[in-house]
Every structure is written in structure tokens, then in C-alpha cells.
Amino acid sequence: MLELRNVSTSYGQVSMLRNVSLNLRKGELVCLLGPNGAGKSTTFKALSGQLPLDGGEVQLMGQEVARIGTENIGALGVGFVPEGRRLFPSLTVRENLKLAYDASRSKARFDERLETTYSLFPRVQERMAQQVRTMSGGEQAMVALARALIGDPELLIMDEPSLGLSPKLIDEYFETVARIHAEGKTILLIEQNAEKALSIADRGYLLVRGQIAVEGSRESMLSDDTIRHMYL
Ligand SMILES: Nc1ncnc2c1ncn2[C@@H]1O[C@H](COP(=O)(O)OP(=O)(O)OP(=O)(O)O)[C@@H](O)[C@H]1O
Ligand SMILES: [Mg+2]
């Protein structure tokens, strides 16, 4: 569903990602861990076609991202939760969902998709007519996730979606992500919270200074010295 092969990028003269390779097979929940500034969001931008590559290749849903152009990414059946959520604050929840639905390739009607969304996010349902800017951080996090799912994507890619939530809400958030995975979605979860991410992931990668430093199954990541030293 996703494959990065030896991806390198830079910001101006400064090299950022160096030979990053990672992949995601159908049905997996994989996490990409790494400290601040490691290059996680840069990886998100590279795999979603927002950043030119110096080298390597990104395949998303079997297509080479560099060839299809950013404007066609929405039609690939991939839901994105970007860093900072990037909702439209002055629009209502419904309007935010509708814009994402219109950009997707969903065959189901918008109303049907909303019904599915309500079952996952009952609190979003109560607030469909509310302007996003007036919602709490936890509610906005759920709206961002609902928006990524509204087009019924096969693959969900999230960049630190639980950032800023209280510990209790983080638990709820991760339970929701685990449920979405159990219902069949393939997920790439970019996270700083290694303990939480590894509690629901099948396997993971650790990015350090623009390179993959560790990769492996949940169990091997949890017992890895570098990861234990960094996080656990
Ligand atoms: N547009 C840019 N121009 C120059 N440098 C940038 C740009 N965007 C990011 N960087 C730098 O690249 C490095 C990696 O940034 P990135 O946002 O990928 O980190 P991250 O792993 O997502 O960190 P965080 O956990 O804090 O979100 C940082 O040192 C950052 O300052
Ligand atoms: Mg980031």
C-alpha cells in the first residue's frame, strides 16, 4: 500500500532524510517513531507528494507519487491526518467533512458515509453544525480523524494526531485508532509517544536524524535498547 525506497530529501542545502526505506502491507498498523526534528513530518510530506525527492522513490497504492501530482492524491483512497490537523476553523464540522468527501473517490453517498462516521465518533455527530474553531482540542482531533475517513480510504496516514491531548483523551484516541484498524484499515501512525503507538502497532520504525535507526516487530521494538533508552 505504501513503499518508500531509499528516499532522500533536503531543505535547501541541508540534507534531511537519508535513504529512508519503509513499507506498509494491506491490513497492517505500522508506527513511525522518532524524537523532535528526526524527520517524521518530512517523511509525511515526502510520501504525500508535498516535497521533491533528491533520490529514491515513493509508491502509494501502487502508483509513483512523483508522477501523479499532489492534486490526484485524494483520489487514491488514502486518508491523511496532517501535523497540526489543518482543519478549516471557520467552517462547520459538516462543511469540513463535505470538502474532504468531495475530494475523495468514495462511491457511497455523503449521507451514508456520515452514518458510518457517527458510529465511530458519537460526539462528532452532536456537533455537526458547530464551527471547528469553537471546539475543544480533543473534539478537533476526532474531527480530523473523521475527515480522513469520510472518503472510505483503504489506507490512513497520520502525523502525531494525538498531540496536545490529555492522558485520558490520548487513551481514548488510541482505542479509536485500534478499532479502526480492527475494522480493516491499513494505518501508518507517525508518533512521538512510542509506548502508546507500540501498544497498538504490528511493527514499527524508529527515525533518528533523518535515517531509519531501528525497525522490527512490536516485540522487538519494545525490547530494543535504543528505543528503551529514548522513550520507555
Ligand atoms: N521547510 C523547512 N525548511 C527548512 N528546514 C525545515 C523545514 N521543515 C522542516 N525543517 C527541518 O527539518 C528537520 C525535521 O523536521 P520534521 O518536521 O520532519 O521533524 P519531526 O520529526 O516531524 O519533528 P516533530 O516531532 O517536532 O514534529 C527539523 O530540523 C526542521 O527544522
Ligand atoms: Mg512532525
Side-chain angles (χ1 to χ4, degrees), residues 67-82:
R67 287 168 185 266
I68 58 174
T70 14
E71 66 282 6
N72 298 316
I73 297 263
L76 286 180
V78 183
F80 293 101
V81 180

Side-chain angles (χ1 to χ4, degrees), residues 11 16 35-42 45 83 160 192:
Y11 292 116
M16 188 51 238
N36 287 121
K40 301 183 299 299
S41 297
T42 303
K45 287 181 209 151
E83 185 171 51
E160 298 208 52
Q192 291 242 16

Side-chain angles (χ1 to χ4, degrees), residues 147-205:
R147 179 186 59 179
L149 292 168
I150 196 76
D152 199 16
E154 282 186 77
L155 171 62
L156 189 58
I157 301 179
M158 304 190 265
D159 189 357
E160 298 208 52
S162 70
L163 198 69
L165 303 187
S166 68
K168 182 170 169 284
L169 279 185
I170 287 183
D171 286 349
E172 259 181 53
Y173 193 92
F174 276 86
E175 278 166 28
T176 306
V177 175
R179 203 169 130 204
I180 292 165
H181 176 227
E183 287 172 6
K185 301 281 186 220
T186 307
I187 301 177
L188 178 66
L189 176 61
I190 298 177
E191 259 297 334
Q192 291 242 16
N193 191 331
E195 201 165 4
K196 275 275 146 203
L198 287 172
S199 74
I200 62 170
D202 300 311
R203 55 190 185 88
Y205 296 88

